[in-house]
Amino acid sequence: MLDLSVIDEILPVSDSNALGMLATMAHEHGFLVGPSSGAVAWAGREYAKKLAPTDVVVMIFGDSGRAYLTKNFY
């Protein structure tokens, strides 16, 4: 069961933002990730805007883009 008491904030991410981040992650950063990782990257980038320049953001990409190569996301 999900313990919401340990979650500070939930950032909703649209499909278009998540999928749009896939090409950015592949072309600019060399990461072949899937849609859920695209959502993580988009949310991480947006959340980082609230932080100080010296703060550190850690993102965990839990999927690969290998299964999505035929989908024209990249």
Side-chain angles (χ1 to χ4, degrees), residues 9-58:
E9 186 174 354
I10 295 174
L11 302 173
V13 178
S14 70
D15 288 345
S16 62
N17 286 335
L19 295 176
M21 186 57 84
L22 296 182
T24 301
M25 294 300 293
H27 295 273
E28 294 182 21
H29 305 290
F31 289 109
L32 183 63
V33 297
S36 63
S37 293
V40 169
W42 186 88
R45 184 181 66 183
E46 293 303 305
Y47 191 79
K49 294 175 183 176
K50 302 178 189 179
L51 304 176
T54 57
D55 289 337
V56 175
V57 175
V58 175

